[in-house]
Amino acid sequence: MSGRFVSFLTRSSLRNAAFFGKIQCSQNLLAAPRALSTSPAASEGLPDSIKRVGESMAFPDERPGKIYAFNWCLNGDGVTPLKASAFRITKPLDLKLASLAEPKKSPLSVKAADAKKMPEAGTPEMSFETFDEVNQRTRNMLSLSDHLYCPEGHVPGTRTAVRVITNSAKLAPDLLAYLERAPRKEPPESLPITVYAFEGTEDSFAGYAIEEVEVEIPSTEAEPAWVLDDEPEPEMEAKSFASVVVVGQKLDIKLIVAGMELSKTALAEDEEKREAKKESSD
């Protein structure tokens, strides 16, 4: 009986000793200077292929302005943030994360510029070739910008979603104040209207284009646990998307709003035509 009692005390005292020993060990580790793994003593005898070089890094290496999902989304929109500084702005707090000033007035009412200043591609005023050339050049310049600011929201009075991709720190807060707040989708996806607005070039340009593409109809069924070779092809449907391009030494929000308004109307007209065609075929 006494032996069992002594054994219990021994185990208990050992646990206490181990516990306090861990504390003492932790304190010693905190107090002692850290030996770099690249020092000769630490790496002696190890092959070069497995020696640690440089500092360790957490993965994914994300931070405000460098979110992989959003960067991939911008890449789908034709802009690659090469400087790893692209801010998705959907609410006032996002302005602070991007180190931007708050708008002086919110919501902001903006009178659109004259529609003549925002021609549509494919009309006598502007060819598709001209628009495509300037559009691609603008995307390239945005990709090389030090910072990108991307306000998102609905065109006021509608549920038509817009994303603006711009390098203008001054314009972004006003655009957020103009747009109506929309639900923030995760992961982010391309929106019906994309505005490419580049500031700081001697060239001036404004125009928009409507493009109809085939997109996959979202399935209402649960995702299968595996995919078979004989899986049916996904159903597709036609959808229209708008691209607005505004370039200049100093950007005018009225011109950008005109592009949004015209694009919103054109998208609605296209949708009505598709619905009418579908009803007539039925």
Side-chain angles (χ1 to χ4, degrees):
M1 187 70 175
S2 60
R4 292 174 61 186
F5 182 70
V6 171
S7 177
F8 172 75
L9 288 178
T10 304
R11 288 197 298 269
S12 178
S13 60
L14 285 174
R15 284 197 298 268
N16 291 335
F19 174 74
F20 288 109
K22 288 180 181 178
I23 294 178
Q24 184 64 37
C25 180
S26 299
Q27 291 174 342
N28 292 339
L29 286 175
L30 290 173
R34 181 179 175 223
L36 296 176
S37 60
T38 53
S39 62
S43 59
E44 185 177 357
L46 295 176
D48 293 336
S49 60
I50 63 172
K51 291 178 183 177
R52 286 181 55 195
V53 178
E55 298 180 357
S56 61
M57 180 183 68
F59 184 84
D61 181 25
E62 293 190 333
R63 53 175 168 75
K66 186 182 178 183
I67 305 299
Y68 293 135
F70 186 57
N71 286 353
W72 277 112
C73 182
L74 290 181
N75 190 62
D77 289 335
V79 175
T80 303
L82 298 176
K83 302 298 179 67
S85 182
F87 296 90
R88 186 186 185 192
I89 304 172
T90 62
K91 56 186 182 299
L93 178 60
D94 294 331
L95 293 173
K96 294 183 179 180
L97 294 176
S99 300
L100 297 178
E102 293 186 5
K104 295 180 180 180
K105 185 178 180 181
S106 183
L108 181 64
S109 178
V110 180
K111 183 179 179 181
D114 193 314
K116 294 180 180 178
K117 296 181 179 180
M118 179 61 64
E120 181 180 359
T123 63
E125 288 75 22
M126 181 186 298
S127 66
F128 279 113
E129 290 76 16
T130 298
F131 180 85
D132 289 343
E133 179 185 349
V134 178
N135 188 16
Q136 186 59 56
R137 191 162 66 244
T138 303
R139 296 181 189 189
N140 293 343
M141 291 189 295
L142 287 170
S143 296
L144 294 169
S145 298
D146 290 335
H147 306 286
L148 293 177
Y149 308 103
C150 308
E152 295 180 14
H154 287 153
V155 177
T158 74
R159 287 294 177 264
T160 305
V162 181
R163 173 178 295 125
V164 181
I165 306 174
T166 182
N167 66 330
S168 175
K170 183 179 180 180
L171 186 66
D174 288 340
L175 286 169
L176 181 68
Y178 167 74
L179 295 170
E180 291 184 354
R181 189 164 176 176
R184 185 184 178 105
K185 294 184 178 181
E186 296 292 352
E189 58 186 29
S190 295
L191 301 180
I193 301 176
T194 305
V195 179
Y196 304 91
F198 185 83
E199 184 174 74
T201 176
E202 296 298 332
D203 298 328
S204 295
F205 179 88
Y208 75 103
I210 307 297
E211 181 182 10
E212 186 178 83
V213 298
E214 292 288 322
V215 298
E216 183 178 339
I217 300 176
S219 175
T220 57
E221 300 179 359
E223 290 288 336
W226 58 85
V227 178
L228 302 177
D229 292 337
D230 57 350
E231 284 290 321
E233 291 292 329
E235 292 187 64
M236 308 293 286
E237 64 178 353
K239 286 287 184 182
S240 293
F241 293 86
S243 297
V244 181
V245 178
V246 180
V247 175
Q249 184 64 38
K250 185 178 180 181
L251 296 176
D252 184 0
I253 190 172
K254 295 181 179 180
L255 202 55
I256 294 175
V257 168
M260 294 181 187
E261 294 285 347
L262 292 168
S263 296
K264 174 254 303 181
T265 302
L267 293 179
E269 290 175 352
D270 281 5
E271 190 62 31
E272 290 177 1
K273 291 178 182 177
R274 282 190 289 267
E275 288 296 327
K277 185 178 180 180
K278 184 178 179 181
E279 291 177 3
S280 62
S281 62
D282 291 342

PDB file of all heavy atoms in Angstrom, residues 129-158:
ATOM      1  N   GLU A 129     -12.478  47.946 -83.690  1.00  0.00           N
ATOM      2  CA  GLU A 129     -11.023  47.852 -83.729  1.00  0.00           C
ATOM      3  C   GLU A 129     -10.377  48.957 -82.884  1.00  0.00           C
ATOM      4  O   GLU A 129      -9.424  48.710 -82.126  1.00  0.00           O
ATOM      5  CB  GLU A 129     -10.529  47.943 -85.170  1.00  0.00           C
ATOM      6  CG  GLU A 129     -10.846  46.728 -86.036  1.00  0.00           C
ATOM      7  CD  GLU A 129     -12.317  46.697 -86.459  1.00  0.00           C
ATOM      8  OE1 GLU A 129     -12.999  47.737 -86.347  1.00  0.00           O
ATOM      9  OE2 GLU A 129     -12.771  45.617 -86.897  1.00  0.00           O
ATOM     10  N   THR A 130     -10.895  50.169 -83.012  1.00  0.00           N
ATOM     11  CA  THR A 130     -10.352  51.280 -82.224  1.00  0.00           C
ATOM     12  C   THR A 130     -10.560  51.052 -80.742  1.00  0.00           C
ATOM     13  O   THR A 130      -9.652  51.237 -79.924  1.00  0.00           O
ATOM     14  CB  THR A 130     -11.017  52.599 -82.645  1.00  0.00           C
ATOM     15  OG1 THR A 130     -10.728  52.856 -84.029  1.00  0.00           O
ATOM     16  CG2 THR A 130     -10.509  53.760 -81.801  1.00  0.00           C
ATOM     17  N   PHE A 131     -11.775  50.626 -80.386  1.00  0.00           N
ATOM     18  CA  PHE A 131     -12.066  50.389 -78.970  1.00  0.00           C
ATOM     19  C   PHE A 131     -11.189  49.277 -78.412  1.00  0.00           C
ATOM     20  O   PHE A 131     -10.628  49.414 -77.316  1.00  0.00           O
ATOM     21  CB  PHE A 131     -13.537  50.040 -78.786  1.00  0.00           C
ATOM     22  CG  PHE A 131     -13.909  49.785 -77.346  1.00  0.00           C
ATOM     23  CD1 PHE A 131     -14.239  50.830 -76.504  1.00  0.00           C
ATOM     24  CD2 PHE A 131     -13.900  48.492 -76.821  1.00  0.00           C
ATOM     25  CE1 PHE A 131     -14.548  50.599 -75.165  1.00  0.00           C
ATOM     26  CE2 PHE A 131     -14.215  48.254 -75.499  1.00  0.00           C
ATOM     27  CZ  PHE A 131     -14.545  49.318 -74.662  1.00  0.00           C
ATOM     28  N   ASP A 132     -11.078  48.179 -79.125  1.00  0.00           N
ATOM     29  CA  ASP A 132     -10.288  47.045 -78.629  1.00  0.00           C
ATOM     30  C   ASP A 132      -8.826  47.430 -78.430  1.00  0.00           C
ATOM     31  O   ASP A 132      -8.189  46.995 -77.453  1.00  0.00           O
ATOM     32  CB  ASP A 132     -10.384  45.870 -79.603  1.00  0.00           C
ATOM     33  CG  ASP A 132     -11.756  45.218 -79.595  1.00  0.00           C
ATOM     34  OD1 ASP A 132     -12.509  45.449 -78.634  1.00  0.00           O
ATOM     35  OD2 ASP A 132     -12.083  44.490 -80.559  1.00  0.00           O
ATOM     36  N   GLU A 133      -8.294  48.232 -79.335  1.00  0.00           N
ATOM     37  CA  GLU A 133      -6.892  48.643 -79.228  1.00  0.00           C
ATOM     38  C   GLU A 133      -6.667  49.492 -77.973  1.00  0.00           C
ATOM     39  O   GLU A 133      -5.735  49.247 -77.190  1.00  0.00           O
ATOM     40  CB  GLU A 133      -6.478  49.426 -80.467  1.00  0.00           C
ATOM     41  CG  GLU A 133      -5.033  49.916 -80.425  1.00  0.00           C
ATOM     42  CD  GLU A 133      -4.689  50.786 -81.624  1.00  0.00           C
ATOM     43  OE1 GLU A 133      -5.484  50.834 -82.586  1.00  0.00           O
ATOM     44  OE2 GLU A 133      -3.616  51.422 -81.579  1.00  0.00           O
ATOM     45  N   VAL A 134      -7.519  50.489 -77.760  1.00  0.00           N
ATOM     46  CA  VAL A 134      -7.371  51.358 -76.597  1.00  0.00           C
ATOM     47  C   VAL A 134      -7.682  50.589 -75.314  1.00  0.00           C
ATOM     48  O   VAL A 134      -7.023  50.779 -74.287  1.00  0.00           O
ATOM     49  CB  VAL A 134      -8.279  52.592 -76.727  1.00  0.00           C
ATOM     50  CG1 VAL A 134      -8.164  53.475 -75.493  1.00  0.00           C
ATOM     51  CG2 VAL A 134      -7.926  53.389 -77.973  1.00  0.00           C
ATOM     52  N   ASN A 135      -8.662  49.719 -75.365  1.00  0.00           N
ATOM     53  CA  ASN A 135      -9.023  48.918 -74.193  1.00  0.00           C
ATOM     54  C   ASN A 135      -7.846  48.069 -73.727  1.00  0.00           C
ATOM     55  O   ASN A 135      -7.527  48.022 -72.528  1.00  0.00           O
ATOM     56  CB  ASN A 135     -10.229  48.035 -74.531  1.00  0.00           C
ATOM     57  CG  ASN A 135     -10.781  47.310 -73.325  1.00  0.00           C
ATOM     58  OD1 ASN A 135     -10.486  47.649 -72.191  1.00  0.00           O
ATOM     59  ND2 ASN A 135     -11.590  46.295 -73.562  1.00  0.00           N
ATOM     60  N   GLN A 136      -7.186  47.393 -74.662  1.00  0.00           N
ATOM     61  CA  GLN A 136      -6.052  46.552 -74.298  1.00  0.00           C
ATOM     62  C   GLN A 136      -4.891  47.386 -73.762  1.00  0.00           C
ATOM     63  O   GLN A 136      -4.238  47.005 -72.785  1.00  0.00           O
ATOM     64  CB  GLN A 136      -5.596  45.735 -75.504  1.00  0.00           C
ATOM     65  CG  GLN A 136      -4.502  44.727 -75.185  1.00  0.00           C
ATOM     66  CD  GLN A 136      -4.931  43.734 -74.122  1.00  0.00           C
ATOM     67  OE1 GLN A 136      -5.932  43.044 -74.258  1.00  0.00           O
ATOM     68  NE2 GLN A 136      -4.173  43.682 -73.025  1.00  0.00           N
ATOM     69  N   ARG A 137      -4.647  48.528 -74.388  1.00  0.00           N
ATOM     70  CA  ARG A 137      -3.558  49.391 -73.929  1.00  0.00           C
ATOM     71  C   ARG A 137      -3.850  49.917 -72.517  1.00  0.00           C
ATOM     72  O   ARG A 137      -2.944  50.017 -71.685  1.00  0.00           O
ATOM     73  CB  ARG A 137      -3.365  50.549 -74.909  1.00  0.00           C
ATOM     74  CG  ARG A 137      -2.095  51.347 -74.650  1.00  0.00           C
ATOM     75  CD  ARG A 137      -1.696  52.193 -75.844  1.00  0.00           C
ATOM     76  NE  ARG A 137      -2.658  53.237 -76.128  1.00  0.00           N
ATOM     77  CZ  ARG A 137      -3.379  53.311 -77.239  1.00  0.00           C
ATOM     78  NH1 ARG A 137      -3.258  52.355 -78.161  1.00  0.00           N
ATOM     79  NH2 ARG A 137      -4.219  54.310 -77.447  1.00  0.00           N
ATOM     80  N   THR A 138      -5.107  50.235 -72.254  1.00  0.00           N
ATOM     81  CA  THR A 138      -5.492  50.724 -70.923  1.00  0.00           C
ATOM     82  C   THR A 138      -5.317  49.637 -69.867  1.00  0.00           C
ATOM     83  O   THR A 138      -4.824  49.890 -68.764  1.00  0.00           O
ATOM     84  CB  THR A 138      -6.952  51.208 -70.936  1.00  0.00           C
ATOM     85  OG1 THR A 138      -7.102  52.219 -71.933  1.00  0.00           O
ATOM     86  CG2 THR A 138      -7.354  51.769 -69.582  1.00  0.00           C
ATOM     87  N   ARG A 139      -5.710  48.417 -70.195  1.00  0.00           N
ATOM     88  CA  ARG A 139      -5.529  47.312 -69.254  1.00  0.00           C
ATOM     89  C   ARG A 139      -4.048  47.090 -68.945  1.00  0.00           C
ATOM     90  O   ARG A 139      -3.682  46.801 -67.805  1.00  0.00           O
ATOM     91  CB  ARG A 139      -6.145  46.035 -69.820  1.00  0.00           C
ATOM     92  CG  ARG A 139      -7.651  46.102 -70.013  1.00  0.00           C
ATOM     93  CD  ARG A 139      -8.180  44.791 -70.541  1.00  0.00           C
ATOM     94  NE  ARG A 139      -9.577  44.880 -70.937  1.00  0.00           N
ATOM     95  CZ  ARG A 139     -10.329  43.838 -71.268  1.00  0.00           C
ATOM     96  NH1 ARG A 139      -9.827  42.628 -71.237  1.00  0.00           N
ATOM     97  NH2 ARG A 139     -11.594  44.003 -71.617  1.00  0.00           N
ATOM     98  N   ASN A 140      -3.217  47.221 -69.962  1.00  0.00           N
ATOM     99  CA  ASN A 140      -1.775  47.054 -69.749  1.00  0.00           C
ATOM    100  C   ASN A 140      -1.228  48.123 -68.809  1.00  0.00           C
ATOM    101  O   ASN A 140      -0.415  47.841 -67.924  1.00  0.00           O
ATOM    102  CB  ASN A 140      -1.034  47.106 -71.084  1.00  0.00           C
ATOM    103  CG  ASN A 140      -1.351  45.915 -71.984  1.00  0.00           C
ATOM    104  OD1 ASN A 140      -1.865  44.895 -71.520  1.00  0.00           O
ATOM    105  ND2 ASN A 140      -1.074  46.051 -73.267  1.00  0.00           N
ATOM    106  N   MET A 141      -1.670  49.375 -69.004  1.00  0.00           N
ATOM    107  CA  MET A 141      -1.198  50.462 -68.142  1.00  0.00           C
ATOM    108  C   MET A 141      -1.699  50.280 -66.708  1.00  0.00           C
ATOM    109  O   MET A 141      -0.969  50.546 -65.748  1.00  0.00           O
ATOM    110  CB  MET A 141      -1.653  51.814 -68.707  1.00  0.00           C
ATOM    111  CG  MET A 141      -0.963  52.188 -70.011  1.00  0.00           C
ATOM    112  SD  MET A 141      -1.303  53.884 -70.563  1.00  0.00           S
ATOM    113  CE  MET A 141      -3.073  53.803 -70.905  1.00  0.00           C
ATOM    114  N   LEU A 142      -2.917  49.805 -66.561  1.00  0.00           N
ATOM    115  CA  LEU A 142      -3.439  49.543 -65.220  1.00  0.00           C
ATOM    116  C   LEU A 142      -2.654  48.422 -64.542  1.00  0.00           C
ATOM    117  O   LEU A 142      -2.373  48.472 -63.343  1.00  0.00           O
ATOM    118  CB  LEU A 142      -4.918  49.180 -65.287  1.00  0.00           C
ATOM    119  CG  LEU A 142      -5.885  50.335 -65.594  1.00  0.00           C
ATOM    120  CD1 LEU A 142      -7.286  49.797 -65.879  1.00  0.00           C
ATOM    121  CD2 LEU A 142      -5.930  51.333 -64.447  1.00  0.00           C
ATOM    122  N   SER A 143      -2.282  47.404 -65.308  1.00  0.00           N
ATOM    123  CA  SER A 143      -1.515  46.285 -64.753  1.00  0.00           C
ATOM    124  C   SER A 143      -0.172  46.746 -64.200  1.00  0.00           C
ATOM    125  O   SER A 143       0.345  46.174 -63.240  1.00  0.00           O
ATOM    126  CB  SER A 143      -1.292  45.212 -65.822  1.00  0.00           C
ATOM    127  OG  SER A 143      -2.516  44.643 -66.243  1.00  0.00           O
ATOM    128  N   LEU A 144       0.396  47.788 -64.785  1.00  0.00           N
ATOM    129  CA  LEU A 144       1.706  48.291 -64.375  1.00  0.00           C
ATOM    130  C   LEU A 144       1.620  49.368 -63.297  1.00  0.00           C
ATOM    131  O   LEU A 144       2.649  49.853 -62.832  1.00  0.00           O
ATOM    132  CB  LEU A 144       2.450  48.853 -65.595  1.00  0.00           C
ATOM    133  CG  LEU A 144       2.852  47.830 -66.671  1.00  0.00           C
ATOM    134  CD1 LEU A 144       3.340  48.541 -67.921  1.00  0.00           C
ATOM    135  CD2 LEU A 144       3.920  46.883 -66.145  1.00  0.00           C
ATOM    136  N   SER A 145       0.418  49.743 -62.894  1.00  0.00           N
ATOM    137  CA  SER A 145       0.245  50.811 -61.906  1.00  0.00           C
ATOM    138  C   SER A 145       0.738  50.367 -60.530  1.00  0.00           C
ATOM    139  O   SER A 145       0.674  49.187 -60.180  1.00  0.00           O
ATOM    140  CB  SER A 145      -1.227  51.217 -61.817  1.00  0.00           C
ATOM    141  OG  SER A 145      -1.679  51.730 -63.057  1.00  0.00           O
ATOM    142  N   ASP A 146       1.223  51.330 -59.756  1.00  0.00           N
ATOM    143  CA  ASP A 146       1.706  51.026 -58.410  1.00  0.00           C
ATOM    144  C   ASP A 146       0.581  50.522 -57.514  1.00  0.00           C
ATOM    145  O   ASP A 146       0.780  49.621 -56.701  1.00  0.00           O
ATOM    146  CB  ASP A 146       2.346  52.270 -57.780  1.00  0.00           C
ATOM    147  CG  ASP A 146       3.661  52.637 -58.446  1.00  0.00           C
ATOM    148  OD1 ASP A 146       4.309  51.727 -59.017  1.00  0.00           O
ATOM    149  OD2 ASP A 146       4.036  53.822 -58.401  1.00  0.00           O
ATOM    150  N   HIS A 147      -0.608  51.120 -57.655  1.00  0.00           N
ATOM    151  CA  HIS A 147      -1.758  50.718 -56.853  1.00  0.00           C
ATOM    152  C   HIS A 147      -3.011  50.710 -57.728  1.00  0.00           C
ATOM    153  O   HIS A 147      -3.146  51.542 -58.627  1.00  0.00           O
ATOM    154  CB  HIS A 147      -1.979  51.666 -55.672  1.00  0.00           C
ATOM    155  CG  HIS A 147      -0.783  51.854 -54.800  1.00  0.00           C
ATOM    156  ND1 HIS A 147      -0.344  50.882 -53.929  1.00  0.00           N
ATOM    157  CD2 HIS A 147       0.081  52.894 -54.690  1.00  0.00           C
ATOM    158  CE1 HIS A 147       0.738  51.319 -53.303  1.00  0.00           C
ATOM    159  NE2 HIS A 147       1.018  52.527 -53.746  1.00  0.00           N
ATOM    160  N   LEU A 148      -3.893  49.779 -57.447  1.00  0.00           N
ATOM    161  CA  LEU A 148      -5.183  49.720 -58.127  1.00  0.00           C
ATOM    162  C   LEU A 148      -6.286  49.813 -57.080  1.00  0.00           C
ATOM    163  O   LEU A 148      -6.216  49.181 -56.022  1.00  0.00           O
ATOM    164  CB  LEU A 148      -5.332  48.418 -58.922  1.00  0.00           C
ATOM    165  CG  LEU A 148      -4.418  48.240 -60.124  1.00  0.00           C
ATOM    166  CD1 LEU A 148      -4.632  46.868 -60.759  1.00  0.00           C
ATOM    167  CD2 LEU A 148      -4.657  49.334 -61.169  1.00  0.00           C
ATOM    168  N   TYR A 149      -7.305  50.604 -57.387  1.00  0.00           N
ATOM    169  CA  TYR A 149      -8.450  50.782 -56.495  1.00  0.00           C
ATOM    170  C   TYR A 149      -9.706  50.353 -57.254  1.00  0.00           C
ATOM    171  O   TYR A 149      -9.951  50.824 -58.366  1.00  0.00           O
ATOM    172  CB  TYR A 149      -8.541  52.231 -56.045  1.00  0.00           C
ATOM    173  CG  TYR A 149      -7.238  52.750 -55.474  1.00  0.00           C
ATOM    174  CD1 TYR A 149      -6.395  53.581 -56.221  1.00  0.00           C
ATOM    175  CD2 TYR A 149      -6.832  52.383 -54.198  1.00  0.00           C
ATOM    176  CE1 TYR A 149      -5.199  54.034 -55.709  1.00  0.00           C
ATOM    177  CE2 TYR A 149      -5.621  52.824 -53.663  1.00  0.00           C
ATOM    178  CZ  TYR A 149      -4.810  53.659 -54.426  1.00  0.00           C
ATOM    179  OH  TYR A 149      -3.609  54.096 -53.922  1.00  0.00           O
ATOM    180  N   CYS A 150     -10.471  49.463 -56.640  1.00  0.00           N
ATOM    181  CA  CYS A 150     -11.571  48.822 -57.366  1.00  0.00           C
ATOM    182  C   CYS A 150     -12.891  48.933 -56.612  1.00  0.00           C
ATOM    183  O   CYS A 150     -13.312  47.974 -55.936  1.00  0.00           O
ATOM    184  CB  CYS A 150     -11.233  47.356 -57.632  1.00  0.00           C
ATOM    185  SG  CYS A 150      -9.619  47.116 -58.430  1.00  0.00           S
ATOM    186  N   PRO A 151     -13.565  50.088 -56.704  1.00  0.00           N
ATOM    187  CA  PRO A 151     -14.885  50.217 -56.088  1.00  0.00           C
ATOM    188  C   PRO A 151     -15.901  49.321 -56.788  1.00  0.00           C
ATOM    189  O   PRO A 151     -15.867  49.162 -58.012  1.00  0.00           O
ATOM    190  CB  PRO A 151     -15.233  51.702 -56.286  1.00  0.00           C
ATOM    191  CG  PRO A 151     -13.936  52.368 -56.625  1.00  0.00           C
ATOM    192  CD  PRO A 151     -13.106  51.337 -57.307  1.00  0.00           C
ATOM    193  N   GLU A 152     -16.801  48.732 -56.008  1.00  0.00           N
ATOM    194  CA  GLU A 152     -17.864  47.877 -56.542  1.00  0.00           C
ATOM    195  C   GLU A 152     -19.202  48.314 -55.964  1.00  0.00           C
ATOM    196  O   GLU A 152     -19.281  48.821 -54.845  1.00  0.00           O
ATOM    197  CB  GLU A 152     -17.620  46.414 -56.180  1.00  0.00           C
ATOM    198  CG  GLU A 152     -16.397  45.792 -56.794  1.00  0.00           C
ATOM    199  CD  GLU A 152     -16.230  44.333 -56.372  1.00  0.00           C
ATOM    200  OE1 GLU A 152     -17.191  43.762 -55.827  1.00  0.00           O
ATOM    201  OE2 GLU A 152     -15.140  43.776 -56.578  1.00  0.00           O
ATOM    202  N   GLY A 153     -20.267  48.085 -56.739  1.00  0.00           N
ATOM    203  CA  GLY A 153     -21.607  48.388 -56.256  1.00  0.00           C
ATOM    204  C   GLY A 153     -22.615  48.285 -57.373  1.00  0.00           C
ATOM    205  O   GLY A 153     -22.302  47.809 -58.478  1.00  0.00           O
ATOM    206  N   HIS A 154     -23.818  48.723 -57.094  1.00  0.00           N
ATOM    207  CA  HIS A 154     -24.880  48.727 -58.092  1.00  0.00           C
ATOM    208  C   HIS A 154     -25.022  50.111 -58.699  1.00  0.00           C
ATOM    209  O   HIS A 154     -24.851  51.124 -58.008  1.00  0.00           O
ATOM    210  CB  HIS A 154     -26.220  48.333 -57.461  1.00  0.00           C
ATOM    211  CG  HIS A 154     -26.325  46.880 -57.127  1.00  0.00           C
ATOM    212  ND1 HIS A 154     -27.128  46.399 -56.115  1.00  0.00           N
ATOM    213  CD2 HIS A 154     -25.718  45.784 -57.675  1.00  0.00           C
ATOM    214  CE1 HIS A 154     -27.027  45.084 -56.057  1.00  0.00           C
ATOM    215  NE2 HIS A 154     -26.169  44.691 -56.990  1.00  0.00           N
ATOM    216  N   VAL A 155     -25.351  50.158 -59.988  1.00  0.00           N
ATOM    217  CA  VAL A 155     -25.740  51.426 -60.596  1.00  0.00           C
ATOM    218  C   VAL A 155     -26.968  51.922 -59.835  1.00  0.00           C
ATOM    219  O   VAL A 155     -27.919  51.159 -59.635  1.00  0.00           O
ATOM    220  CB  VAL A 155     -26.066  51.250 -62.095  1.00  0.00           C
ATOM    221  CG1 VAL A 155     -26.546  52.573 -62.690  1.00  0.00           C
ATOM    222  CG2 VAL A 155     -24.845  50.731 -62.851  1.00  0.00           C
ATOM    223  N   PRO A 156     -26.960  53.154 -59.350  1.00  0.00           N
ATOM    224  CA  PRO A 156     -28.070  53.638 -58.518  1.00  0.00           C
ATOM    225  C   PRO A 156     -29.440  53.392 -59.142  1.00  0.00           C
ATOM    226  O   PRO A 156     -29.653  53.635 -60.325  1.00  0.00           O
ATOM    227  CB  PRO A 156     -27.786  55.138 -58.399  1.00  0.00           C
ATOM    228  CG  PRO A 156     -26.296  55.228 -58.496  1.00  0.00           C
ATOM    229  CD  PRO A 156     -25.903  54.169 -59.487  1.00  0.00           C
ATOM    230  N   GLY A 157     -30.348  52.848 -58.318  1.00  0.00           N
ATOM    231  CA  GLY A 157     -31.705  52.580 -58.763  1.00  0.00           C
ATOM    232  C   GLY A 157     -31.875  51.268 -59.495  1.00  0.00           C
ATOM    233  O   GLY A 157     -32.964  50.961 -59.976  1.00  0.00           O
ATOM    234  N   THR A 158     -30.813  50.464 -59.588  1.00  0.00           N
ATOM    235  CA  THR A 158     -30.883  49.181 -60.299  1.00  0.00           C
ATOM    236  C   THR A 158     -30.197  48.104 -59.465  1.00  0.00           C
ATOM    237  O   THR A 158     -29.693  48.366 -58.376  1.00  0.00           O
ATOM    238  CB  THR A 158     -30.191  49.265 -61.671  1.00  0.00           C
ATOM    239  OG1 THR A 158     -28.759  49.281 -61.481  1.00  0.00           O
ATOM    240  CG2 THR A 158     -30.607  50.518 -62.429  1.00  0.00           C
TER     241      THR A 158
END
